[in-house]
Amino acid sequence: MRRALQYIGRVSRTQRIQKDISGLTRHVSLETVEYRPHSTAISTAIPLTGPTPQVPGREPLLFTPGPLTCSAEVKRAMLVDLGSRDGLFLKVIQDVRDGLLHCAGVSREQGFECILMQGSGTFSVEATISSIIPKTGGKLLVLANGAYGERIAQMAEIHAIPYTKISYPELEVPTAEDAVEALKTDPSITHVAMIHHETTTGALNPVNQVGRAIKEVKPEVTFIVDSMSGFGCYPIDLKKSRVDFLVSSSNKCIEGVPGFAYALADREKLLATEGSARTLSLDLLAQWKGLEANGQFRFTPPTHALLAFDQALKEHVAEGGVEGRLARYTHNFNTLKTDMAAMGFHPYLDEDKQGVIITTFLFPDDPAFDFPTFYNKLQALGLVIYPGKLTKADCFRIGSIGRLFERDMRIMTQSVKAILLEMGVQLPVKQIRV
């Protein structure tokens, strides 16, 4: 039965290569060949003049940081109904917990635990912030260079957790020197939190350097990393980087679907949080105790999302784990960057700060450009991008993650060019100034 669940709807690699299916787009990965159904396939030779081609009924491609485009096998995995206390489902839960620790390069034998939590990534970040900082005697330092770092500070504010915050301009990243100086200046700080990949801009923050530096000056400090859009793509050694709690989500670089998130925790640090929770349903320690007691979630679990994620983890391993996933995403990013540069678009961030997950581009400084029109025309082609999130400039963002390959990036960039020409935007563009 377990084997049947894993292989529902799957076709062998050889069969897939040989089978010619009309109306399907073929994607070749490292170890698999995947067919994704479309009502009408888009050719890479999109006309660059004339009306934008319409693609009725095409399954969208998501150039976003999550939710994102998933493989057919991940979606098929959800076509099974399992009870929350079913033995098969409890096996899935344990496999997922073990698989996530393996992805992080740690294990329970090394003193780490994986706690699954229903809801979006923000739910697990708030579960961590509200559960592990003592109600008395605790103080949080937040290193924020975008909306998601600021969100952690907002959580602390709502839960009446004492905190201090170092805010950086969106073009900058936090530094280990600032974190160390804050700890030396304020001995009451017990916890430090920062973002691994700040999706606001696409910045990759130096969590490894910060973690090692703060532990050198204050070994007992607890280091919390929100690696929502980084985990599964960028390597992070929890032991060497001295990370005590790392939080991520099912619908990011592992390429599952939304529904749950998770915290990877140092067991000793986790056990020391007894009595610190400020909520019932987001109590991280209680959630772990429930999983350990009977393998079950305390409250209704997202069964289908976990089945999908179990399959996504297998595909992550088959692609070469973190190294393989980073290689594909890097190639996607480089394709995007090169093609957009040919149109006059350049990433908002400097190269030494830019990650490969999502890229921010400033608007063209052209009266013919209208973002709602631009966005809607891309959407009509089944190409979904992200609006900007900068506080000081108008921009849009294009992601490189999910089940996307070079062909998909070319489809995106050629569609961008076709739409801009249709709108009457002069190419190459001149971007607005900040």
Side-chain angles (χ1 to χ4, degrees):
M1 180 61 178
R2 176 66 180 155
R3 183 176 296 273
L5 288 178
Q6 293 178 4
Y7 293 97
I8 285 176
R10 297 187 68 180
V11 183
S12 75
R13 186 174 188 274
T14 303
Q15 288 173 317
R16 290 180 184 210
I17 294 174
Q18 294 175 343
K19 195 168 185 180
D20 179 20
I21 305 178
S22 177
L24 299 179
T25 304
R26 189 173 72 183
H27 297 258
V28 182
S29 184
L30 296 177
E31 296 294 336
T32 62
V33 175
E34 171 194 349
Y35 288 95
R36 180 162 57 249
H38 300 303
S39 299
T40 308
I42 290 184
S43 168
T44 54
I46 293 177
L48 300 182
T49 58
T52 304
Q54 297 300 306
V55 189
R58 183 183 188 275
E59 181 182 328
L61 290 174
L62 306 184
F63 295 83
T64 61
L68 36 70
T69 295
C70 298
S71 74
E73 286 82 359
V74 165
K75 286 178 275 197
R76 285 194 196 104
M78 294 187 287
L79 301 179
V80 178
D81 296 322
L82 290 181
S84 60
R85 300 180 182 181
D86 189 303
L88 289 173
F89 180 64
L90 298 186
K91 177 68 163 55
V92 169
I93 291 175
Q94 191 59 56
D95 287 348
V96 166
R97 294 177 69 197
D98 292 341
L100 284 168
L101 290 174
H102 177 76
C103 184
V106 295
S107 66
R108 299 186 71 186
E109 290 72 25
Q110 293 173 314
F112 288 87
E113 297 291 346
C114 176
I115 307 102
L116 309 180
M117 181 71 71
Q118 302 94 319
S120 70
T122 299
F123 281 48
S124 278
V125 174
E126 185 160 7
T128 302
I129 297 299
S130 66
S131 294
I132 73 170
I133 301 172
K135 294 176 182 178
T136 58
K139 186 173 184 180
L140 174 67
L141 168 63
V142 181
L143 307 176
N145 63 323
Y148 297 96
E150 296 292 339
R151 185 178 293 176
I152 291 178
Q154 185 181 8
M155 292 171 185
E157 184 80 31
I158 289 172
H159 290 287
I161 297 170
Y163 75 97
T164 186
K165 180 179 65 172
I166 303 176
S167 293
Y168 297 84
E170 292 165 331
L171 280 167
E172 297 182 15
V173 297
T175 68
E177 292 77 13
D178 289 343
V180 167
E181 181 62 27
L183 290 176
K184 290 180 177 179
T185 303
D186 186 351
S188 66
I189 293 172
T190 57
H191 295 66
V192 177
M194 69 180 295
I195 308 298
H196 188 184
H197 178 273
E198 178 51 76
T199 317
T200 302
T201 57
L204 184 64
N205 290 333
V207 295
N208 298 318
Q209 296 91 318
V210 171
R212 289 193 292 266
I214 62 175
K215 294 284 188 169
E216 285 180 7
V217 298
K218 193 170 185 176
E220 71 275 17
V221 73
T222 297
F223 188 34
I224 306 163
V225 174
D226 174 344
S227 188
M228 209 62 58
S229 297
F231 184 74
C233 171
Y234 283 102
I236 179 168
D237 189 317
L238 300 186
K239 296 178 69 177
K240 289 183 179 179
S241 300
R242 311 295 295 277
V243 177
D244 299 302
F245 292 86
L246 180 144
V247 185
S248 192
S249 175
S250 61
N251 57 291
K252 302 293 184 179
C253 295
I254 304 295
E255 299 185 2
V257 302
F260 73 96
Y262 45 89
L264 306 183
D266 177 281
R267 187 185 302 118
E268 288 187 7
K269 288 279 189 175
L270 177 64
L271 292 172
T273 66
E274 184 76 58
S276 298
R278 294 159 176 84
T279 69
L280 172 65
S281 61
L282 298 181
D283 185 337
L284 199 67
L285 180 61
Q287 186 83 346
W288 174 74
K289 286 181 176 180
L291 290 166
E292 289 296 293
N294 55 22
Q296 300 175 20
F297 281 62
R298 291 179 299 151
F299 309 108
T300 305
T303 53
H304 297 87
L306 280 155
L307 287 168
F309 194 78
D310 188 38
Q311 173 61 28
L313 274 173
K314 293 178 173 65
E315 294 180 8
H316 188 267
V317 172
E319 192 171 6
V322 171
E323 182 180 353
R325 187 89 5 133
L326 178 59
R328 175 160 60 87
Y329 289 173
T330 300
H331 185 68
N332 287 350
F333 165 74
N334 288 333
T335 300
L336 173 69
K337 184 174 68 170
T338 299
D339 288 3
M340 293 296 284
M343 291 180 268
F345 290 99
H346 300 283
Y348 175 67
L349 291 173
D350 292 337
E351 189 171 345
D352 63 331
K353 299 177 179 68
Q354 176 69 54
V356 302
I357 304 298
I358 192 167
T359 308
T360 295
F361 297 101
L362 298 177
F363 280 3
D365 189 5
D366 191 313
F369 181 79
D370 175 71
F371 179 71
T373 301
F374 176 70
Y375 180 92
N376 290 334
K377 284 182 176 290
L378 282 172
Q379 189 176 49
L381 293 174
L383 306 172
V384 180
I385 64 172
Y386 242 34
K389 207 176 180 71
L390 298 181
T391 58
K392 296 182 179 179
D394 291 324
C395 60
F396 59 88
R397 295 175 290 171
I398 300 178
S400 311
I401 68 174
R403 205 67 178 167
L404 301 175
F405 300 86
E406 180 182 345
R407 173 184 171 86
D408 301 308
M409 307 312 292
R410 300 283 185 197
I411 289 172
M412 166 56 73
T413 56
Q414 292 191 37
S415 297
V416 166
K417 185 173 184 179
I419 289 168
L420 291 174
L421 289 173
E422 183 181 332
M423 292 173 68
V425 175
Q426 175 106 26
L427 295 181
V429 304
K430 292 182 179 180
Q431 292 174 279
I432 62 172
R433 295 183 179 181
V434 179

